[in-house]
Amino acid sequence: MTTPQLYCPCCKDQTLQTIELHGQQVDRCQRCNGLWFDDKELSDAIAHSSELTDPYCIKQSFGEKLEQHQYHCHRCNQSMQQFHLLKDYQVTVDKCGRCKGIWVDGDEAEQVLAAPKLQAALAQLNQKVCAKSWLFQFFTQMPKEYNIKPHRKPVMTWALLALNIVIYVLYGFDDTSTEWVFVHFALDSISILDGQQWWTLLSYQFLHGGLIHLAGNMYFLWIIGDNLEDALGSWKFLAVYLLCGVVAALVEMLMCYLADRDLLMVGASGAVAGLFGMYLLWFRHASLTFMFIVWQKKLNPAWYFAIWAALNILGLLSEDLSVAYWAHLGGLAAGIVVGVMLKQKVLAQNPLLQLLQRPEARILR
């Protein structure tokens, strides 16, 4: 018996060619690159491409059922029904009600094959705030992060946390030790302008003026450092962290020089602010909670760090000299520049991040 010629539901006059995709024989249109999956072929291809041990039946997890589509099944010649791929991922697929075949447009194949990873990621991102997170933020004034889990252990982030904490413990509880450490390792604009103690552009980033100062910087390093290290790799993460800290110090020094003021500065705030800039560009699908008096709200990182930047600008306008606001803003700007320069490469190396940046991803805030 002769196998009937199959035609593309989209192009209509273009025949489909059989190809192998993740261990399955499927039909593809050479013109639009759309894919036709017979019953169970899509589930098997997804299971193989996602490296799952158990078969994943996409047809049992479709999202919203949409209006009748213009496509017709090339086997049954029936109108196909359109669905969102997942509840919170609104790329569309088309299904024949009779033969159960599924058509995927060519530009949507990557998202469809990544469905289990997308579903797991969106489940993490779309968690609701709860009483536990409210109590934590109310008493600490620190945000709760909602983001995907890193693929590897953030050893460099842990190392930076440990190093900052150990260094503080060694000097922070003794006034004499603190004075000696600050003289030799804090950033002193007079010494640097005299061509001395250039190493303090790095060493100041590992010193802190008190436990609250230390705890605030280390908390933000902990909650966002793991994802950035996962995206960059440990050594690149360390390099951009230190670079942002150096840029932050130079900006603060410049503004103090223009204001005819001397500068003595310690803290990882500038380096951590640089991480903020990269985070808001690469992880815009994430959420950080903000506490408006007693109302806790999940915010897009861009909004969260915009509020943070605005508070720093208000601090500058108030002429509060106890906080290095220019270092914060300089570090943030450095992080944004690095983020823009590396964004294309980082997203190419992390396909899930790229898929979550697409408008089809529905993030609940």
Side-chain angles (χ1 to χ4, degrees), residues 139-282:
F139 288 109
T140 67
Q141 295 303 300
M142 295 296 181
K144 172 78 166 61
E145 182 202 27
Y146 295 82
N147 203 348
I148 57 177
K149 293 181 180 179
H151 294 91
R152 49 190 165 187
K153 294 181 180 179
V155 292
M156 189 59 71
T157 300
W158 294 345
L160 287 170
L161 288 167
L163 187 58
N164 277 274
I165 294 169
V166 168
I167 288 173
Y168 183 81
V169 169
L170 291 175
Y171 77 82
F173 300 100
D174 179 78
D175 291 342
T176 302
S177 299
T178 299
E179 183 178 357
W180 185 90
V181 168
F182 279 21
V183 167
H184 291 88
F185 297 104
L187 189 145
D188 185 343
S189 61
I190 296 176
S191 297
I192 290 180
L193 291 174
D194 286 341
Q196 302 173 14
Q197 294 189 330
W198 283 92
W199 63 83
T200 59
L201 286 167
L202 293 175
S203 61
Y204 92 95
Q205 302 178 43
F206 297 90
L207 307 178
H208 290 84
L211 284 172
I212 294 178
H213 188 203
L214 173 70
N217 284 337
M218 294 304 98
Y219 179 75
F220 278 103
L221 174 59
W222 176 56
I223 64 168
I224 69 175
D226 56 350
N227 291 108
L228 288 168
E229 182 179 345
D230 191 45
L232 282 167
S234 297
W235 293 107
K236 285 184 180 179
F237 171 75
L238 176 63
V240 297
Y241 174 85
L242 295 175
L243 174 64
C244 290
V246 170
V247 173
L250 293 175
V251 170
E252 186 72 29
M253 283 181 57
L254 174 62
M255 301 312 296
C256 286
Y257 176 80
L258 295 176
D260 197 22
R261 289 191 287 107
D262 297 331
L263 173 66
L264 182 69
M265 183 169 70
V266 296
S269 304
V272 172
L275 301 185
F276 293 169
M278 289 173 274
Y279 190 90
L280 67 89
L281 289 173
W282 303 342

Side-chain angles (χ1 to χ4, degrees), residues 24-50:
Q24 303 300 309
Q25 297 292 319
V26 301
D27 300 306
R28 185 181 70 179
C29 175
Q30 292 183 325
R31 182 184 296 170
C32 70
N33 291 318
L35 296 170
W36 175 269
F37 296 89
D38 287 322
D39 192 24
K40 298 184 180 180
E41 285 182 348
L42 179 57
S43 298
D44 292 340
I46 287 175
H48 191 283
S49 67
S50 299

Side-chain angles (χ1 to χ4, degrees), residues 131-144 212 215 219 289 291 293-294 296:
K132 185 178 179 180
S133 69
W134 186 94
L135 288 170
F136 170 80
Q137 188 162 18
F138 181 78
F139 288 109
T140 67
Q141 295 303 300
M142 295 296 181
K144 172 78 166 61
I212 294 178
Y219 179 75
T289 57
M291 184 72 79
I293 307 176
V294 295
Q296 187 184 41

Side-chain angles (χ1 to χ4, degrees), residues 309-321 323 325:
L311 293 175
N312 278 270
I313 293 171
L314 288 175
L316 285 173
L317 296 175
S318 71
E319 299 184 353
D320 178 7
L321 302 181
V323 179
Y325 293 114

Side-chain angles (χ1 to χ4, degrees), residues 319-353:
E319 299 184 353
D320 178 7
L321 302 181
S322 65
V323 179
Y325 293 114
W326 279 116
H328 295 174
L329 296 173
L332 177 66
I336 290 174
V337 170
V338 172
V340 170
M341 292 174 61
L342 297 181
K343 182 177 180 179
Q344 186 173 358
K345 183 177 181 180
V346 166
L347 294 184
Q349 293 175 343
N350 298 271
L352 183 59
L353 294 187

